[in-house]
Amino acid sequence: MATDARKKEILKGLYDAVVDFDEDKVVELSNAVLAEDVDAYEAIMDGLAAGMEHVGDLYANQEYFVPEVLMCSDALYAGLDILRPHLSGKEADVKGQVVIGTVEGDVHDIGKNLVKMMFDVAGFEVHDLGRDVKLEKFVEEQMKTDSEIVALSALMTTSMLAMPKVIEMIKARNPDAMIMVGGAPISQEVADNYGADGYAPNAANAVQEAIQMISRLREMGKA
Amino acid sequence: MDRVGGICKDKMAPHERVGALMMGQTPDRVPFNPFAMGFSSLNCGYTIESFYNDPQKSLNAQLWTAEQYGYEPVLLLGYAAYGGWEFGGEIKMPTSEWEGAPSVARHPVETEEDVEKLELPDVKTAGIIPISMEFSKLCDEMGLPILPGTSGDAITVASNITDVSLFCRWLMKKPELAHRLLRLATDHILEAYQYWVDTFGAQKIMAGLYVTVAANQILSPKQFEEFVLPYQYELHEKILGMGVQAGFMHICGEQNLNLPLIQQLPLGSPQQPVILSFGHEVDLEKAAEMFPDNIIAGNVEPQIIQNGTPEQVYEVTRIAIEKGKKAPGGFFLMPGCELPPMAPGYNIHTMMKAVNDFGFYD
Ligand code: B12
């Protein structure tokens, strides 16, 4: 069992290694987490995820750009792959399920992949449909998996027009499914007009928004 | 002058107006082109797909839509997804209700080994080139300027050959692979330009130069310096060096951090003017200040033209005109990027109204 000081050192090390996109270091420290009996959940949340949150800020402040962010994301996944199988009990429970994809007609998926990653980190079960996803596919996948959330991404003014359509299609089949939209041309106002249940301007906020959406569902006794 | 597209004060025909701008003279009013690609086709009852694969329909749509609204045509059959199909992958033409432009359906490079094996395609048969060449011949028959449909943007071609995400990872981990793709992209673009110059003569050609994936939404200025600047410099130097008539450079998206580097590129001369077109992310006053010798173009936000009310469109257009008019090298009103194909036509008319109300030089 690691001492408090050692645990802190490992968590800080994971945080830094994600920020510095040092994949080898992440692997080394994740193995140390297991060997030294540090809590895997804490290592994910306070190490890896906290690091990735800082990466999000660095991107927003134009200190990091997409190449750096992708490298950080690779480092983060290397750690998740090692640590996730060791989550125990309540922590291993999924926080919720989310179907995610970039809508039909749109191949932009860099932003969508970052949102997906944040859901992964937060312990959601993510069903990623990829990009240029036929609208009907979102409906089918939501029904099949009974996911609480469907997250739609669009980066173009043409493809964003598919959003109200797919929202209508999903709600027609399952009025309780919660739909969240995002992507550069989307704003809170557009999301409201489209009848979406949630919106977030970036990947970090997407998960908080989703958690709030799920608690609203639970309050209504529907999840 | 006859009344054209709702504007009655015009003293010059569109080609005279653009001619004056290009010669460094003051035209009667600010010229306007709405970068209408898929929009023109839909406007004329054609499919968006036909804009990219039917040269005659593409030309008709572009000329007729310009005539309808009374703006200055800038004729082009090309696309930003250029490179994937041309280097041996597959293209997906826009056919569904939600698609606005072609996209790469299969990238010719998916692995590191693919990079080693990749070769320059035959320039006369690659991807969209035969279609675009046909389009250029139609333009030439009508005595119109020729904008080759090949890309003029090495980094975007390189990242269309592979996938942008993979390309970004190579920038960091395997820069030699990124440089090899950039080298091939640059050589291909130069070969394509040579093909156009051999076919029509350099003097009829307006070079299309772009920096898209270089935007700061994706790359840092440091990455721009290493992976964009050298290749783009070579393209500008050699293509302008072929003796083309003029150039049109589109600086797509958020590029504020890159502007000092773009200043280092060869950007024409009074005898060989290069229009610099900016996205709504770059302030036109700043652009005019940093590029005083160039014609500045831009930068009405496309999203507003699609979703905004006519009042909002009128207002953002007014602001662009009033800022742009002060550019010492001249000004061409445009959206910040391609006009959304499904934008309401009335909003284009509204932009034209703003040109009428604020665009005249006294
Ligand atoms: C990279 C890029 C490409 C790449 C995409 C590669 C890929 N695999 O994704 C390539 C070169 C292939 C490409 C192609 C095209 N592109 Co492009 N592209 C871009 C660019 C430069 C950056 C997009 C990006 O990745 N940003 C970085 C990521 C991290 O940010 P993000 O996506 O916004 O995501 C963040 C948030 O929005 C949010 N978010 C995103 N999704 C979601 C979802 C949910 C649920 C939530 C909550 C949040 C959320 O979180 C993310 C992280 O914080 C943009 C410029 C811009 N202004 O965005 C143009 C841009 C999107 N493209 C544009 C165009 C026009 C095209 C093409 C049509 C070009 C053409 N004419 O051929 C084709 C599209 C083909 C098609 N059918 O889709 C236009 C769209 C204009 C419009 N009509 O609205 C843009 C805006 C450029 C411009 N200035 O006009 N493009």
Side-chain angles (χ1 to χ4, degrees):
Chain A
M1 186 81 186
T3 61
D4 267 4
R6 173 62 180 152
K7 183 173 129 188
K8 256 197 178 149
E9 186 190 320
I10 292 179
L11 296 188
K12 175 78 170 56
L14 283 169
Y15 177 104
D16 289 341
V18 168
V19 174
D20 299 340
F21 42 92
D22 187 341
E23 203 173 315
D24 294 342
K25 190 87 195 162
V26 169
V27 169
E28 182 195 316
L29 287 168
S30 299
N31 286 323
V33 166
L34 302 182
E36 300 178 38
D37 224 6
V38 175
D39 183 49
Y41 183 72
E42 269 182 74
I44 291 177
M45 295 317 283
D46 300 341
L48 299 175
M52 202 61 210
E53 213 157 295
H54 183 55
V55 170
D57 292 340
L58 292 173
Y59 177 75
N61 297 334
Q62 296 195 312
E63 285 171 59
Y64 272 14
F65 295 82
V66 167
E68 288 85 1
V69 175
L70 291 173
M71 300 296 291
C72 295
S73 138
D74 291 350
L76 174 132
Y77 273 111
L80 269 189
D81 288 348
I82 297 172
L83 296 174
R84 213 159 24 192
H86 298 273
L87 289 177
S88 56
K90 196 162 161 278
E91 284 147 7
D93 288 351
V94 289
K95 301 284 167 301
Q97 290 192 70
V98 49
V99 172
I100 191 169
T102 305
V103 299
E104 187 172 344
D106 196 329
V107 301
H108 297 90
D109 64 355
I110 298 172
K112 186 268 294 167
N113 288 342
L114 295 178
V115 175
K116 173 192 168 193
M117 174 186 66
M118 295 312 275
F119 276 111
D120 270 334
V121 177
F124 279 77
E125 186 169 345
V126 186
H127 308 280
D128 182 11
L129 299 177
R131 54 194 191 189
D132 190 11
V133 177
K134 290 255 173 296
L135 306 189
E136 191 53 44
K137 190 89 186 78
F138 285 105
V139 182
E140 282 165 17
E141 190 72 11
Q142 194 282 326
M143 296 297 283
K144 201 173 91 197
T145 58
D146 197 25
S147 295
E148 293 95 334
I149 307 251
V150 181
L152 307 171
S153 180
L155 263 284
M156 300 196 294
T157 47
T158 38
S159 58
M160 72 191 270
L161 298 176
M163 284 178 161
K165 176 90 184 152
V166 66
I167 293 173
E168 194 188 300
M169 286 162 62
I170 296 170
K171 295 273 183 189
R173 292 280 293 282
N174 181 358
D176 296 337
M178 287 267 178
I179 312 200
M180 163 173 226
V181 293
I186 311 297
S187 61
Q188 183 66 55
E189 194 190 342
V190 172
D192 293 342
N193 284 341
Y194 285 179
D197 304 291
Y199 158 77
N202 56 47
N205 294 2
V207 176
Q208 294 164 8
E209 177 77 7
I211 290 173
Q212 285 170 14
M213 287 161 69
I214 292 182
S215 33
R216 267 185 281 156
L217 266 181
R218 297 213 164 118
E219 275 163 30
M220 294 186 287
K222 285 174 174 164
Chain B
M1 180 78 217
D2 289 337
R3 185 189 159 100
V4 184
I7 297 249
C8 36
K9 295 196 287 189
D10 280 1
K11 293 187 188 67
M12 287 177 164
H15 70 275
E16 292 168 344
R17 185 171 299 117
V18 175
L21 179 73
M22 301 304 272
M23 285 188 296
Q25 298 159 359
T26 307
D28 57 342
R29 64 158 168 87
V30 165
F32 169 47
N33 177 276
F35 224 135
M37 301 175 70
F39 177 92
S40 334
S41 296
L42 293 178
N43 181 50
C44 295
Y46 299 142
T47 59
I48 294 186
E49 186 182 8
S50 73
F51 185 92
Y52 300 95
N53 66 11
D54 187 327
Q56 186 65 57
K57 283 187 177 162
S58 191
L59 183 70
N60 291 348
Q62 295 184 55
L63 289 174
W64 294 345
T65 306
E67 177 207 77
Q68 174 186 350
Y69 290 101
Y71 62 71
E72 341 310 323
V74 176
L75 304 165
L76 171 67
L77 193 167
Y79 62 149
Y82 189 97
W85 187 21
E86 288 65 26
F87 275 81
E90 282 163 33
I91 195 77
K92 183 174 170 226
M93 283 291 161
T95 48
S96 93
E97 193 181 346
W98 315 108
E99 283 169 312
S103 54
V104 180
R106 187 181 56 77
H107 295 280
V109 167
E110 287 168 352
T111 64
E112 292 177 22
E113 296 73 61
D114 292 342
V115 181
E116 308 296 324
K117 284 183 277 173
L118 192 70
E119 286 175 12
L120 281 177
D122 173 9
V123 79
K124 294 192 173 142
T125 56
I128 201 160
I129 286 189
I131 304 170
S132 184
M133 178 54 82
E134 193 56 43
F135 179 83
S136 292
K137 286 182 178 156
L138 295 175
C139 292
D140 189 38
E141 280 164 20
M142 299 184 71
L144 300 165
I146 292 166
L147 195 59
T150 184
S151 175
D153 178 350
I155 190 124
T156 303
V157 173
S159 52
N160 286 329
I161 292 175
T162 162
D163 170 77
V164 182
S165 303
L166 184 58
F167 187 75
C168 282
R169 288 181 164 93
W170 285 347
L171 290 191
M172 304 288 293
K173 283 198 291 199
K174 309 252 164 153
E176 66 289 354
L177 294 180
H179 281 297
R180 175 159 160 79
L181 289 179
L182 285 160
R183 184 70 257 151
L184 286 166
T186 305
D187 289 344
H188 167 71
I189 294 167
L190 290 171
E191 277 189 4
Y193 263 89
Q194 194 58 54
Y195 176 37
W196 253 269
V197 166
D198 291 344
T199 309
F200 301 102
Q203 255 311 303
K204 289 182 182 170
I205 290 174
M206 166 126 154
L209 302 157
Y210 314 87
V211 275
T212 306
V213 166
N216 298 132
Q217 278 117 342
I218 301 290
L219 298 189
S220 68
K222 211 168 143 276
Q223 287 152 351
F224 188 107
E225 198 167 358
E226 183 179 349
F227 296 99
V228 181
L229 191 58
Y231 300 97
Q232 207 60 30
Y233 193 98
E234 183 179 342
L235 285 178
H236 284 226
E237 188 176 47
K238 291 190 173 156
I239 293 173
L240 295 174
M242 290 175 189
V244 298
Q245 186 191 105
F248 173 81
M249 181 182 188
H250 179 53
I251 300 162
C252 194
E254 163 62 298
Q255 301 253 5
N256 281 295
L257 301 175
N258 296 334
L259 295 180
L261 298 162
I262 293 173
Q263 277 180 320
Q264 297 174 25
L265 292 168
L267 294 174
S269 64
Q271 293 72 43
Q272 196 181 36
V274 173
I275 300 173
L276 300 181
S277 127
F278 295 89
H280 67 271
E281 297 89 342
V282 175
D283 185 72
L284 284 180
E285 280 171 357
K286 178 174 170 188
E289 204 173 290
M290 291 186 74
F291 301 93
D293 300 330
N294 287 90
I295 299 164
I296 302 301
N299 69 346
V300 180
E301 185 174 349
Q303 195 269 118
I304 298 181
I305 309 177
Q306 172 167 304
N307 297 317
T309 62
E311 290 79 9
Q312 288 167 331
V313 173
Y314 185 78
E315 182 59 10
V316 288
T317 310
R318 178 187 69 78
I319 293 170
I321 294 171
E322 291 188 343
K323 287 187 174 182
K325 254 173 114 174
K326 290 185 265 173
F331 178 57
F332 205 136
L333 177 72
M334 286 189 176
C337 200
E338 186 194 338
L339 180 65
M342 281 74 150
Y346 190 73
N347 282 346
I348 313 309
H349 174 70
T350 300
M351 293 179 81
M352 214 53 228
K353 278 209 296 202
V355 171
N356 197 24
D357 294 346
F358 308 106
F360 280 85
Y361 292 98
D362 350 274

